[in-house]
Structures are given as C-alpha cells and as structure tokens.
Amino acid sequence: MKFQLEDVTVYFPYDHIYPEQYAYMLELKRALDARGHCLLEMPTGTGKTIALLSLITSYALSKPSNPPKLLYCTRTVHEMEKTLAELRLLHDYQLSQLGPSARILALGLSSRKNLCINPSVVSGSSRDSVDAACRKLTASWVRAMAIENPNIPTCCFFENYEKAGSDAMLPPGVYTLQDLRAFGKEKGWCPYFLARHMVQLANVVVYSYQYLLDPKVAGIISKEMQRECVVVFDEAHNIDNVCIEALSVSIRTQTLEGATRNLSKMSQEIERLKATDAGRLRAEYNRLVEGLAQRGNLPITDNWLSNPVLPNDILKEAVPGNIRRAEHFLSVLRRLVQYFKGRLQTENVEKEGLVAFVASINSQAGIDQKMLKFCYDRLHSLMLTLEITDTDEFLHIQTICDFATLVGTYTRGFSIIIEPFDERMPHIPDPVLQLSCHDASIAIKPVFERFQSVIITSGTLSPIDLYPRLLNFNPVISRSFTMSLTRDCICPMVLTRGSDQLPVSTKFDMRSDPGVVRNYGRLLLEMVAAVPDGIVCFFVSYSYMDGIVNSWNEMGILQDVMQHKLVFIETQDVVETTLALDNYRRACDCGRGAVFFSVARYSRHDKRSKLPGWILSHLRDAHLNLSTDMALHIAREFLKKMAQPYDKAGSSNRKTLLSEEDLERMGADIVSEMLS
C-alpha cells in the first residue's frame, strides 16, 4: 500500500497496516524532521522493523538531493539477516511503484567468520582465529614477500579483489550475508573487504551494535560515516549493558600468564630483528620521535583494531620518550603484568577508584599515567614493526594494553574491582581484576553528538523515562505505544505460591530454599506439558540460573522437562547464545518444542510498574496471586481460546487492520486517537 504521511509518501509492502504502525511512523517522521533523537516503545509482534524501514527509506526517497543514510544496528546475526530480508521485500515493492529511481544499495556487515569464503581461513574455530588466519594471507608484508617468493601463500579472493580495483563494486540491491558470500564466489572477490568498502557508499547498512558503540571496532568500520545518518538501535532494551561492556575489561591469571608468553615471544622477535633488519626498529623509533604513534594510512589488511578509548579522548601528541624504544616498552609491560599479578593475590573483594589505582601503579611499578595512556598505540606500532600476523595468539597482551590505556585515560565513570573467586564457585580460587565501567553514557556519547538522528526502539523500554537518564541525552520524541487487539491475546499472571501453598519468590533470602527451587521446577514442568512450541524462562542472574539448573538436574526435574521439550541455555558468550537461540527457534518451528533459559534485569522491587503498558493493560486483578495449579488452569483455558478462529481486521469502530482506503478516510489524527 501507498499512503501520505504529512509531506512524505510512504511505501509499505503490505495491503494492511496496524494503527500502532501508522502512529509509530508518524512519531518517527517528526523526530527526523526535528533532526533529533527519539525513544519509541512498540509492542512485540506488531511489525516494528518494517514500519521503521518503510518510513526511513520513504523519507530518504522524498529528499533526493540529500537523502539520509540509514545505519541499522542489531544485536545478533539472525536479526541482521531478518532485517535485510524485510528490506528486500520493501525494496521490491518500491521498485514496482517507482521504477529505477527507487534503487538503493543495502548490505549487512559482519566479521570475517560470517563473510569469509576461503576454506583454509573460515575453518578457524573462533572469530579471532579466523581474523588471524586472514592476516597471515593478506598482511601487506606477507603479500610483498609473496611477490619475491611465489611459494608464500596468499588469499586468491583478496588478490582478485585488489586487482579489480575500482571495478570491485556491488550493483544496486539488497544483500544479506549469504548474498555477499554468493556474490564473492561468483566474482572470485573477497566479500568481507568488498563489504567493508561498500558500507561507505551504501544507502542502508545493517550491522552489530559494536560497530558503533565499541571504540575498538567503530574506529575502523564507522569513522567515515557522515553526520547525515539516521542511526537505529533495534531491540535496544539492554543498550546500557552493551555500552558498559564495550568499555569494561577483565584480567585473570590466565590473561597474565598469556601476556608473559607474548612478551617473551616479542622480545625474541626484537633480538632477531636487531641481528637481521635493525633498520626497521630504527625507522619505528624515528617515527615515534617525530610524534607519529601510527604509520598514517595503513593498508586495510594491516589495521585490525582501533584504540579502546573514545575518539575525542585519544591523545594527539608524541609517545613518551621512555617507551619509544621497543625494549624499554616491553620492560614497562613486564612491570605492569607483575603489578597486576600482585593485585590478584587477595582473599577479599576490593574496590578502588581509578585515580588511586593509577597512583598505586606509579608508586609500585614506576609507570605514570601518560605511559599507560599510550600502551595501546605503542603495542599496535610494535606489532606492525615486528610484522606479527597471528594476532589471535597475542590477545592477552592486547587485553593488558586495552586495560592500561582506558585506566590512563579516564578518571570518572569507572571502578576497579578485584574478586578472589567466582561467586558461582566460591571454593575455587579464580581471581579477576575488572575495570568496570558503570556509566553507559560514555560509550554512546559520540554517537549522539555525531549523527543527526538516533532512534532507540524496542518492544520493552519501560520505564521509558529511565533511558534518557541512563544514556544522558534529550530525546525530541519519547513515546510508548499500546497494542490494538480484537481479542485478548496476552495473558500475564503473577504466581506467588506452589501447589503445596509454599511461597515462590526470587527474594535473596528465599531463592535458594529447596522448597522454592522445587516449586519453580514443578511449575516449569507443568507448563512445558501444556504450552505448545516455545517457552522462555528468565532468571535474575547467571549465577542464580546456574544454581537452579544444577538443582533441577539433581532433582530429576530437568530430565522430565526434556521429555516434552529441548532445553537451551543463554551464556555470557555472544556466539554461543546466538547459536542456542537459532536452535531454539528451529526446535519450535519443527514442532519438537523448546525451553530457553535466559537472564533478565529487574533489580528493583517494583517490578510490576516496570512492565510495558501493553502488558500491564492485560494484567487482571484475578491473576495477581496465583498458585501453580491455578496458573496452569488459566494457561490451558487461554490456549484453548487462542485456538479459535477470530476476525483479524476487527469491527468498524475498533479496526486493528487498516487499508489504504481506511487511512485516506480517517486521517492521521483519528488513527492516533484509536491508540490513546
């Protein structure tokens, strides 16, 4: 359908639209007109993604002289591919209505592991190992040696891409990661570096949050993006956690042991260079004396991670004299590693501010704040000088230098926390030294300052007034939408006791009680037997989830659950969790059914008031104090009701699906009133 939204013609690829989609587009357009940021909460399952894409691409079509570029950020690869599939459907519709003038270039960008087509590289077990395998074939010095010695292996796909030069372009269209890999195989070009190049020219780029929020990645991928970009953070209910994690670093005993091995290997390489190519070390020293921490514009294959601090906080001055010589720098890093080892030898939890921590490093290790600030840049320069390609083996010393640079740069918004053991296994020593960021606004501040409109949206942003305070910004639009329904298809319940009438609660003093654990387990067991397809079970923390799952396993409850459905568990590893989610969806789609154990934040006692309005509106008083058997009865009755046929379009006075004719007749104000 095609309709007018104020002065913009909106192209929407379906015959009907929900009133909340229309109202969502209206608020989104007003935010774009105001060139400001906005917060929009829209109920899950009401077509938020296609509403976003339709409005923003239509808005760009209405401004052919200066169309805004869309940077669409997702949390997972699955969400990225789903977004691009929706965009392809929309683009096909726009082409059918407007012809060639509607052509755009849209693509997804992900890591080498998701885009590489070289079998010898992509077979690596982790993202870091794939990155390192790529560098071993594509680093500038490797390619230079291969010219002299054809026996040195290189990547044929990258070489073909380089030979194509300016002809290596993507034609207009919408490209998923799978499409990029297929195009790369067809042309014989590297799809990863092709995509890296094309993001600068594309109208729409879909990629991960980290490509804008993590300075190490954003400094390479997104630094050239122009101000006239519209940035969307979709499913952004945990965006504050992503911001905090982007600037937090943890050091364990294994990190320090690995860093010690890295320093030994680098020391050997320096001695080898002194004997065989001392001029290379001299050239690096002279460059550092002249004030150049980096080599200027590096080849795209040589620059793998950027500085861990935010762009405006990077020092624009010479590297300190006492770390310019490679041997002196390694000596500084050895002292720093030794200092960290000493700090990990504690039996109590310790918390310290950054000013005191930096002063302690200076007094005990003789390393001042300025030397700490330059650790990342100095390491990066040295690794390039030593022509190190197996970067996955040097992750430990990179972590140490990331930690040092952040500690030397910031004084507020961070804390140092030292824990002698993991709270899940208090009897096993596993000390960790954490640089913990506790101000989410630090990482996202450059995004708000740099781009004209940032859209933060999700199905659950309640309480919506919390996010401007968490992220320290002033939205021009902040709106939470209700769900227009012809029937009650949501059934929230509050369960307070088990079938044995014992209380059920995750309060700290009750959560480990065997009776509470057993009642939760029985509730889950009853629900998996009654509810078809998928169930998501949330826990208050990872440690609590581990404890409960272990207890359920010992009680035999987990085995009984698996008689009805498969069980998948969220971990703190993003790749593992993404894989678990994909398999959970597959199990639900094929009819086997699955349960997904996950972790949700509700750190406040007033949990009910933090629920989105579209859920609260369906929470009846009769469903607020239930036992397991009562909840099970209500669930079964609800599912029977949901299985009955119903009128999806709704009655004339309360329509839930609007046609093009309905919109023309009703107008924007009436549609908005329907949702009020």
Side-chain angles (χ1 to χ4, degrees), residues 30 119 124 140 235 259 288 315 355 434 455 462 533:
R30 288 169 180 171
S140 58
E235 301 300 338
L288 296 175
L315 285 184
V355 173
Q434 300 173 64
I455 317 300
S462 297
D533 299 329

Side-chain angles (χ1 to χ4, degrees), residues 630-648:
M630 293 163 65
L632 187 64
H633 172 74
I634 292 169
R636 283 178 173 152
E637 291 300 310
F638 171 74
L639 291 168
K640 284 179 189 174
K641 185 179 172 185
M642 289 300 100
Q644 306 307 310
Y646 74 105
D647 178 12
K648 293 183 180 180

Side-chain angles (χ1 to χ4, degrees), residues 132-266:
C134 175
R135 283 175 62 78
K136 287 173 186 174
L137 301 179
T138 62
S140 58
W141 55 87
V142 173
R143 298 176 65 223
M145 287 190 293
I147 294 172
E148 304 293 327
N149 181 3
N151 293 324
I152 292 176
T154 57
C155 176
C156 63
F157 297 104
F158 182 74
E159 295 302 323
N160 290 339
Y161 165 72
E162 284 284 281
K163 282 175 191 168
S166 59
D167 292 332
M169 300 282 282
L170 278 171
V174 178
Y175 296 85
T176 64
L177 302 185
Q178 186 175 347
D179 296 330
L180 288 170
R181 289 193 298 268
F183 185 84
K185 287 177 182 176
E186 178 191 329
K187 293 287 190 179
W189 298 341
C190 169
Y192 173 74
F193 285 107
L194 176 63
R196 281 270 302 268
H197 171 61
M198 295 307 297
V199 293
Q200 307 302 332
L201 308 174
N203 306 92
V204 181
V205 178
V206 184
Y207 54 19
S208 162
Y209 280 32
Q210 278 71 21
Y211 284 65
L212 278 180
L213 295 178
D214 187 337
K216 297 189 293 295
V217 185
I220 293 175
I221 303 294
S222 304
K223 64 179 178 180
E224 303 298 332
M225 299 298 185
Q226 61 268 33
R227 174 168 173 75
E228 292 75 27
C229 285
V230 176
V231 176
V232 172
F233 289 105
D234 196 6
E235 301 300 338
H237 42 277
N238 284 336
I239 192 170
D240 53 319
N241 287 350
V242 178
C243 293
I244 284 169
E245 287 165 11
L247 293 176
S248 297
V249 185
S250 294
I251 293 174
R252 297 181 180 274
T253 303
Q254 301 93 309
T255 316
L256 298 175
E257 291 170 351
T260 302
R261 291 193 298 271
N262 294 160
L263 291 170
S264 297
K265 189 169 181 179
M266 292 174 84

